[in-house]
């Protein structure tokens, strides 16, 4: 994906992207490659990381299960349906 | 013909000549120059109207095109005598694409700087396709819109400042008799220094503050030379860039300038007959709305020169005070005020004044 650094305001690079540049993205200059400046055209590539997504899902599901088991029998102020 | 008849005829003739002369004088005296500062969110757009002529300077971001178009239509504009693109940033030229597509444009004045955005390329292509005469700006040019008003190009200088689109913004000074406007685009301190040493007369009644009130513009040495009675900041509410900065607001305040902002006042129009000027704003800043009568717009008139203002500002429920070290303003009786060191104490004539300088109401005394 192409983007252009239209301008730099404070520490924020204002990127114009998408069809006819109708989208404006404020991007911290500190997260851009060193030496980026106004008028630079950027190539932005974004990939889906399915492995990392799956791993995160597994981590949170197992944490959920762990917590549910921990509380077994102790419903506190919550009454069953 | 009898002598008395002749006398009578002469009298009538003289009278009608006089009446015609008075009528002519009235017409020319009532010719008003209006400079509109359009609320285009975070961006700039100004419309200059005089004697049936129209000049548009910038038009905000691309999505503001329709808003600028309807503003132009509502103000009787069907074609533009001149379109000025102060510099190629999208918050200034984006909206010009719609304008170039939909309005007749007789000429374009450009900063002469190139940029790499598609928006800028589209702008150039449209001018090319429509065969619009294209001129690049240079200090020393004048724009001959009407013999009664003087429009000078004060910046950019040639050669341009290297690698800085803002600094090379087109800076215009518009003078109608005794009233003058200085429109800075996004020009910053470097451009200001160059202006200061250029020998141009910078003294102006109304200043369109450079670069949305950021700290990269409006140095105190520059403001001391311009001495604006009125400063107008074109800025978007809650923008991500910290515009305008408190530093700039304070610098403007210390020159004694009254500040208007498009984020607080909406569209702002300054109308002048060359002697006096009237400022009309679309809305009051929110904290003054309750203290003012039901009018939806406010108008304030000043005369130039001496302090003989003809109408007082619409809101004046002060005084309020604040600290230079915080962003709260208070009633003078507020308990928090006792903790403010006298060196840091700031006074505001009204809540609108406090608000315009970036202050918010104190949570203890809740000033109106």
């Amino acid at each position: 994906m192409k983007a252009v650094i239209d301008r730099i305001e404070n520490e924020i690079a204002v990127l114009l992207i998408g069809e006819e540049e109708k989208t404006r993205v404020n991007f911290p200059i500190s997260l851009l490659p060193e030496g980026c400046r106004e008028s630079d055209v950027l190539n932005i590539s974004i990939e889906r990381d399915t492995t990392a997504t799956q791993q995160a899902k597994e981590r949170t599901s197992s944490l959920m299960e762990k917590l549910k088991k921990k509380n077994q029998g102790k419903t506190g102020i919550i009454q069953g349906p | 013909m009898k002598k008395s008849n002749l006398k009578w005829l002469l009298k009538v003739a003289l009278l009608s000549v006089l009446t015609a002369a008075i009528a002519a004088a009235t017409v020319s005296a009532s010719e008003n120059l209006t400079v509109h500062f359009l609320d285009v969110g975070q961006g700039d757009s100004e419309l200059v109207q005089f004697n049936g002529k129209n000049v548009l300077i910038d038009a905000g971001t691309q999505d503001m095109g329709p808003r600028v178009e309807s503003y132009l239509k509502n103000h009787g504009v069907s074609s533009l005598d001149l379109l000025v693109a102060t510099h190629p940033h999208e918050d200034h030229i984006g909206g010009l694409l719609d304008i170039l597509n939909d309005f007749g444009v007789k000429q374009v004045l450009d900063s002469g700087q190139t940029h790499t955005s598609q928006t800028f390329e589209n702008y150039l292509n449209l001018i090319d396709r429509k065969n619009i005469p294209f001129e690049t700006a240079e200090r020393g040019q004048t724009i001959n819109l009407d013999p009664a008003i003087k429009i000078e190009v004060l910046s950019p200088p040639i050669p341009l400042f290297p690698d800085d689109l803002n600094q090379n913004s087109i800076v215009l000074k518009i003078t109608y008799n005794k009233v003058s406007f200085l429109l800075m685009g996004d020009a910053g301190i470097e451009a200001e220094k160059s202006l200061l040493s250029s020998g141009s007369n910078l003294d102006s009644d109304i200043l369109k503050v450079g670069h949305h009130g950021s700290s990269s513009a409006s140095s105190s040495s520059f403001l001391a030379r311009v001495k604006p009675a009125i400063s107008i900041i074109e800025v978007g509410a809650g923008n991500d860039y910290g515009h305008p900065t408190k530093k700039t607001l304070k610098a403007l305040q210390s020159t004694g300038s009254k500040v208007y902002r498009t984020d607080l006042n909406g569209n702002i129009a300054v109308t002048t007959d060359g002697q006096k000027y009237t400022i009309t704003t679309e809305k009051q800043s929110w904290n003054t709305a309750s203290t003012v009568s039901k009018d939806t717009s406010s108008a304030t008139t000043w005369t130039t020169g001496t302090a003989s203002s003809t109408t007082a500002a619409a809101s004046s429920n002060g005084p309020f005070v604040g600290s230079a070290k915080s962003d709260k303003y208070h009633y003078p009786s507020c308990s928090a005020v006792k903790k403010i060191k006298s060196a840091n104490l700031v006074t505001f004539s009204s809540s609108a004044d406090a608000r315009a300088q970036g202050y918010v109401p104190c949570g203890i005394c809740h000033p109106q």
Side-chain angles (χ1 to χ4, degrees):
Chain A
M1 184 173 22
K2 291 269 182 235
V4 63
I5 304 181
D6 184 66
R7 56 193 186 272
I8 293 170
E9 306 280 15
N10 263 337
E11 292 303 301
I12 297 168
V14 182
L15 309 185
L16 301 178
I17 59 170
E19 192 203 341
E20 294 300 318
E21 296 184 341
K22 282 184 178 137
T23 309
R24 205 176 307 116
V25 177
N26 290 329
F27 204 83
I29 195 102
S30 59
L31 299 180
L32 286 175
E34 188 108 350
C36 275
R37 48 202 301 200
E38 187 171 83
S39 288
D40 277 355
V41 178
L42 311 175
N43 244 326
I44 300 178
S45 59
I46 300 176
E47 296 165 51
R48 289 179 72 200
D49 190 336
T50 48
T51 318
T53 309
Q54 195 53 39
Q55 286 169 349
K57 270 186 187 158
E58 280 163 16
R59 285 197 307 273
T60 50
S61 311
S62 79
L63 262 171
M64 177 84 76
E65 287 311 310
K66 183 182 165 191
L67 293 175
K68 284 205 266 192
K69 276 182 197 146
K70 223 176 165 178
N71 281 352
Q72 241 161 23
K74 292 179 265 178
T75 56
I77 59 166
I78 296 152
Q79 200 185 329
Chain B
M1 193 183 282
K2 279 188 193 170
K3 210 177 172 186
S4 62
N5 270 352
L6 188 68
K7 245 183 177 176
W8 181 82
L9 254 177
L10 270 172
K11 260 186 187 171
V12 170
L14 193 66
L15 204 68
S16 51
V17 165
L18 265 175
T19 317
I22 289 165
T26 316
V27 166
S28 70
S30 68
E31 197 63 72
N32 280 335
L33 165 70
T34 303
V35 181
H36 305 257
F37 301 84
L38 282 68
D39 175 13
V40 288
Q42 180 68 16
D44 266 19
S45 182
E46 296 115 41
L47 170 68
V48 179
Q49 295 191 290
F50 185 78
N51 200 11
K53 309 265 177 56
N54 300 292
V55 178
L56 182 68
I57 303 161
D58 296 336
T61 51
Q62 209 179 143
D63 51 318
M64 288 296 155
R67 194 191 284 192
V68 175
E69 287 198 320
S70 58
Y71 192 93
L72 294 185
K73 283 174 193 155
N74 291 340
H75 288 81
V77 180
S78 52
S79 73
L80 295 166
D81 296 276
L82 181 68
L83 190 156
V84 179
T86 60
H87 66 295
H89 283 154
E90 194 260 347
D91 55 334
H92 294 252
I93 65 159
L96 292 179
L97 301 183
D98 278 346
I99 303 296
L100 285 163
N101 267 314
D102 301 335
F103 284 74
V105 175
K106 295 202 182 97
Q107 193 172 7
V108 170
L109 182 67
D110 183 87
S111 73
Q113 310 181 86
T114 58
H115 196 22
T116 51
S117 68
Q118 185 65 54
T119 307
F120 185 62
E121 200 170 331
N122 290 348
Y123 151 85
L124 292 178
N125 271 324
L126 269 168
I127 295 166
D128 183 29
R129 188 156 8 110
K130 295 187 175 255
N131 287 315
I132 302 169
F134 181 85
E135 190 65 45
T136 55
E138 183 179 341
R139 173 177 294 158
Q141 290 167 325
T142 52
I143 297 167
N144 302 318
L145 186 72
D146 188 286
I149 60 171
K150 187 161 113 186
I151 308 180
E152 302 161 273
V153 178
L154 300 190
S155 206
I158 301 293
L160 298 173
F161 300 102
D163 294 329
D164 194 330
L165 298 176
N166 282 345
Q167 296 298 352
N168 292 305
S169 284
I170 298 177
V171 174
L172 298 178
K173 184 172 183 187
I174 304 174
T175 309
Y176 181 31
N177 229 326
K178 288 181 179 160
V179 177
S180 53
F181 298 76
L182 186 60
L183 310 176
M184 294 298 293
D186 276 1
I189 290 166
E190 219 180 318
E192 292 170 1
K193 274 184 197 155
S194 168
L195 283 167
L196 285 169
S197 57
S198 72
S200 309
N201 176 11
L202 301 177
D203 195 326
S204 304
D205 300 288
I206 295 109
L207 171 69
K208 200 297 291 179
V209 176
H211 196 215
H212 320 287
S214 92
S215 294
S216 68
S218 304
S219 60
S220 44
S221 54
F222 178 71
L223 294 179
R225 187 82 79 81
V226 179
K227 300 191 292 285
I230 304 295
S231 297
I232 297 174
I233 303 175
E234 295 219 53
V235 67
N239 65 80
D240 294 322
Y241 318 122
H243 299 163
T245 62
K246 202 175 278 181
K247 184 180 166 219
T248 299
L249 293 169
K250 280 203 184 107
L252 293 170
Q253 185 201 11
S254 56
T255 63
S257 190
K258 187 165 171 58
V259 177
Y260 287 84
R261 298 164 49 164
T262 53
D263 59 340
L264 303 176
N265 300 114
N267 297 313
I268 299 159
V270 184
T271 302
T272 175
D273 61 0
Q275 307 290 331
K276 286 190 263 181
Y277 52 88
T278 306
I279 299 170
T280 314
T281 62
E282 183 188 14
K283 46 189 179 195
Q284 303 275 340
S285 53
W286 62 271
N287 55 349
T288 60
S290 61
T291 64
V292 184
S293 62
K294 281 168 196 138
D295 290 357
T296 49
S297 68
S298 63
T300 310
T301 308
W302 280 267
T303 52
T304 54
T306 58
S308 56
S309 56
T310 51
T311 326
S315 153
S316 169
N317 51 352
F320 292 101
V321 294
S323 164
K325 304 277 181 198
S326 105
D327 63 349
K328 302 287 190 293
Y329 69 92
H330 317 262
Y331 285 122
S333 58
C334 176
S335 60
V337 174
K338 295 188 188 87
K339 292 174 195 152
I340 302 172
K341 284 185 188 157
S342 57
N344 294 330
L345 201 69
V346 191
T347 312
F348 310 106
S349 59
S350 69
S351 51
D353 191 20
R355 179 78 186 154
Q357 290 170 48
Y359 283 79
V360 297
C362 161
I364 302 168
C365 64
H366 302 288
Q368 289 299 300

